[in-house]
Amino acid sequence: MSIFDPESKFVQLTNTMLDYLKLGLLFMAFSIPVVTMGAAAAATMTVALKMARGEAPAVWGPFWKAFRENFKLGTILLLFFGLLFVLLGFDWYQVMQMESTAVIRVVRAGIVLLVLVLTSTALYSFAIIARYELRLKAVLRNAVIYTLLYFPKNLLTILMIAAGILAYAFLVPLIPLVVTVVPPVVIWYFAKVCTAAFHKSESAAENIAE
């Protein structure tokens, strides 16, 4: 079989990479108004989770459908987490003005930990509304549970996002590379983490039901 055969692993891998690239570009394009970022994140995860399960859907159609369906809840989640991040940012600013004593250093470390946990919870929240139809309270509760259970794995997702943001801010000549590489890699990895976590939960629920 030729490597350029449509059924070859090379062609399938190339198509998958292009699909993740399209997905990353769609997420960034639909996040430009900022207020739509929540719906864009949910739509991105809807398609990414299907791809991670091997369903290999077309990108644009499912993305646009999920964007419209999750717009309200996605926006509410965005505003909720945005407010919490602003409050933590204000706390960080206040603490940084204080003398660096042992207690203040512990407080700073606590704020950093809270930011990491909150970021992980936010990421899982958008993945959950992409996968399940739940009310806001249930979404947040489950997102916290997934964060507590799988925080080490999701920490890599957060670090990749942070690295991408820093590279975008300080390595201007590399912006085209950052924009085309970081989002698809983050989406691919986080979709794998979520797929494994959701599968374990669903299998456990089925075993209990039996």
Side-chain angles (χ1 to χ4, degrees):
M1 178 185 293
S2 170
I3 62 172
F4 298 108
D5 189 288
E7 300 299 324
S8 70
K9 291 184 178 180
F10 174 77
V11 172
Q12 291 178 355
L13 177 61
T14 301
N15 289 336
T16 299
M17 292 172 62
L18 289 174
D19 285 341
Y20 278 110
L21 176 59
K22 294 175 188 175
L23 201 50
L25 293 175
L26 280 173
F27 169 72
M28 289 186 292
F30 276 72
S31 297
I32 290 175
V34 181
V35 71
T36 59
M37 186 178 292
T44 298
M45 288 309 301
T46 298
V47 180
L49 290 172
K50 289 183 178 181
M51 292 170 64
R53 295 195 301 270
E55 296 178 13
V59 174
W60 167 247
F63 180 94
W64 176 239
K65 182 175 182 290
F67 180 86
R68 289 183 285 112
E69 291 177 346
N70 292 292
F71 187 84
K72 180 179 179 180
L73 186 53
T75 303
I76 292 173
L77 285 171
L78 178 68
L79 295 175
F80 173 75
F81 285 110
L83 176 61
L84 293 181
F85 279 118
V86 168
L87 293 175
L88 283 175
F90 178 76
D91 289 339
W92 178 260
Y93 174 79
Q94 295 285 60
V95 169
M96 290 301 293
Q97 307 307 310
M98 301 178 183
E99 183 181 353
S100 184
T101 63
V103 173
I104 293 302
R105 286 194 290 271
V106 170
V107 172
R108 290 173 182 171
I111 293 175
V112 171
L113 180 60
L114 281 175
V115 169
L116 293 175
V117 170
L118 186 60
T119 302
S120 178
T121 303
L123 291 172
Y124 274 120
S125 294
F126 293 115
I128 288 170
I129 67 173
R131 183 75 176 93
Y132 307 103
E133 293 184 8
L134 299 173
R135 293 184 179 276
L136 179 61
K137 185 177 180 180
V139 170
L140 295 174
R141 181 178 64 249
N142 283 283
V144 171
I145 292 172
Y146 280 118
T147 289
L148 295 176
L149 290 176
Y150 305 105
F151 182 73
K153 289 184 177 181
N154 204 24
L155 183 59
L156 180 56
T157 306
I158 298 170
L159 293 176
M160 286 191 292
I161 293 173
I165 293 173
L166 291 174
Y168 185 89
F170 297 105
L171 301 176
V172 177
L174 296 180
I175 285 179
L177 181 63
V178 172
V179 169
T180 55
V181 172
V182 175
V185 172
V186 171
I187 293 167
W188 166 78
Y189 176 76
F190 185 54
K192 286 188 63 177
V193 171
C194 290
T195 299
F198 293 164
H199 178 71
K200 287 182 179 179
S201 299
E202 291 165 3
S203 297
E206 289 176 0
N207 291 333
I208 293 174
E210 293 175 356

